[in-house]
Amino acid sequence: DFIQMAVRKFRGEDKEEELVIDYVSKNMNNMTVNMPYQCFINGQFVNADDGKTYDTINPADGSIIASVSSASLADVDKAVAAAKEAFENGEWGRMNARERGRLMYRLADLMEEHQEELATIESIDSGAVYTLALKTHVGMSVQTFRYFAGWCDKIQGATIPINQARPNHNLTFTKKEPIGVCAIVIPWNYPLMMLAWKSAACLAAGNTLVLKPAQVTPLTSLKFAELSAKAGFPKGVINILPGSGGLVGQHLSEHPDVRKVGFTGSTPTGKQIMKSAATNLKKVSLELGGKSPLIIFSDCELDRAVKMGMGAVYFNKGENCIAAGRLFVEESIHDEFVRKVVEEIKKMKIGDPLDRSTDHGPQNHKAHLEKLLQYCETGVKEGATLVHGGRQVHRPGFFMEPTVFTDVEDHMYIAQEESFGPVMVISKFKNGDVDGVLRRANTTEYGLASGVFTKDISKALYISEKLEAGTVFINTYNKTDVAAPFGGFKQSGFGKDLGEEALHEYLRTKAITVEY
Ligand code: TAP
């Protein structure tokens, strides 16, 4: 491994300004990856105003990948000013919607051309298994941009029959307008995909944006910035500021020139953002934490429920917002279910995320691993049965064993709080007690996702009606799609990502009335 500073220059097809990019380059995964590491403001990669940097770490071995610029308050002001200028006076605001769509398609194509490089960067920065990073982290990001690119020229208002001012006539029509400068603040579990889910809808609607990636995973968003410039996005439309949430995120949420905040992260931070956004009454959408219940009935296809149930918990090493935080398994199949899960866990290959045969990579960062180990200790102390795992894996990096707890009772901490890691939390329910298990599944302040396994379609639909969650999976799990709205109820937040609904999070409606 080596870290090399390289200066590359290129001239975009239709751009007068030269883009100078300082890369940290590394040879790995049978390729050279070139990683921008500076703030991206007004179409340029620049050091933080005060020159501050921090190290981003590879969780597979604890090594430093790159020293990244840490944006300051002055950088936030510059980026917001650039986004405002681009929105109000730049080429972006004058562009035809179809042309905007073309730019987004071009960006999606470029992301696809660079998918191996993006997936490698994502893998070393977040610990995602490379094969998954390629398919999901990067693959779904490309699809998201394509999906929203298609919306650009289909954003339409309505004509509305209002009372006429006789003898004159009246007509009211509505226009869907972009909001202006949007701030986007995202977490570290799917760094590029979280960027894509929000930015694609935001851009398709015609806004400009300033995005803050999670401090621990800034690299794919900076690579994305490079690709957006190469695709020909006008300067100032997309600005990326790596840095601290308390500083950069906080200032963005309070900033008077920012009109909307799109946030994904924890519920406490979401509440803080909502408070900050009140300073100028920004529009807000919040995708927050979850403790998603998964109910498994004895009349399910058991092997499928085992496989999907495991995916529901261990996908992306459990760092998955819709991860099944609690499994309710019907008494008559409980022991067999647990036995099969443990049997399958033993077949999982834990190791180097870049190795194509690896199933389970390192947790995202050290502090998170430590929190997870503590979570398991709490579970044991409370009297839940630790059936498997619960420990750090003895190898370099931040690996954790896939873990299973049974005999988890409703009052326990691990029954109520999200782990955000590879921890299966299993509770039994009495045979046939549909309403009892529903009551327990809904006894949480979260309401992000949920799932049910049963061959009885009436029971499944009844359950889906009663579950208080923004997403219900029946006989499947983790089946998200760019066209389907995604977002939570209760303290899992409000506002949707993906699908047509996401577009409206980034639009405002103007009603125009004419008399003739
Ligand atoms: P948070 O601590 O909430 O961090 C999320 C982002 O907010 C980070 O970029 C963080 O910056 C920033 N931030 C922190 N304080 C802020 C403030 N005062 N103002 C503005 N921004 C601030 O969450 P996390 O620990 O990174 O992520 C895990 C949580 O996210 C889990 O609870 C998980 O359920 C949730 N999550 C939810 C979803 C959906 S779709 N609902 C998806 C993924 C994750 P730093 O980089 O400095 O921390």
Side-chain angles (χ1 to χ4, degrees), residues 54 184-190 194 197-198 212-217 243-253 261 263-270 272-273 276 286-291 319-322 365 368 371 418 420 446 448 486-488 492-493 497:
Y54 69 95
I184 295 177
V185 179
I186 51 173
W188 38 260
N189 59 338
Y190 294 99
M194 290 297 108
W197 283 19
K198 298 201 186 299
K212 191 201 89 66
Q215 254 179 113
V216 286
T217 53
S244 127
L247 199 77
V248 177
Q250 179 72 31
H251 194 41
L252 280 170
S253 340
V261 193
F263 173 75
T264 294
S266 63
T267 297
T269 307
Q272 172 61 33
I273 284 184
S276 315
L286 303 170
E287 303 283 357
L288 308 177
K291 182 73 179 169
E319 293 165 357
N320 190 10
C321 40
I322 56 169
H365 51 279
H368 182 50
K371 238 178 85 184
E418 153 179 70
F420 217 53
Y446 293 118
L448 191 53
F486 178 104
S492 289
D497 278 327

Side-chain angles (χ1 to χ4, degrees), residues 6 29 44 83 89 219 284 352 366 379 429 435 479:
N29 204 20
Q44 299 288 328
N89 303 313
L219 295 176
V284 178
D352 178 3
K366 192 157 182 271
F429 68 93
D435 287 313
K479 182 80 186 127

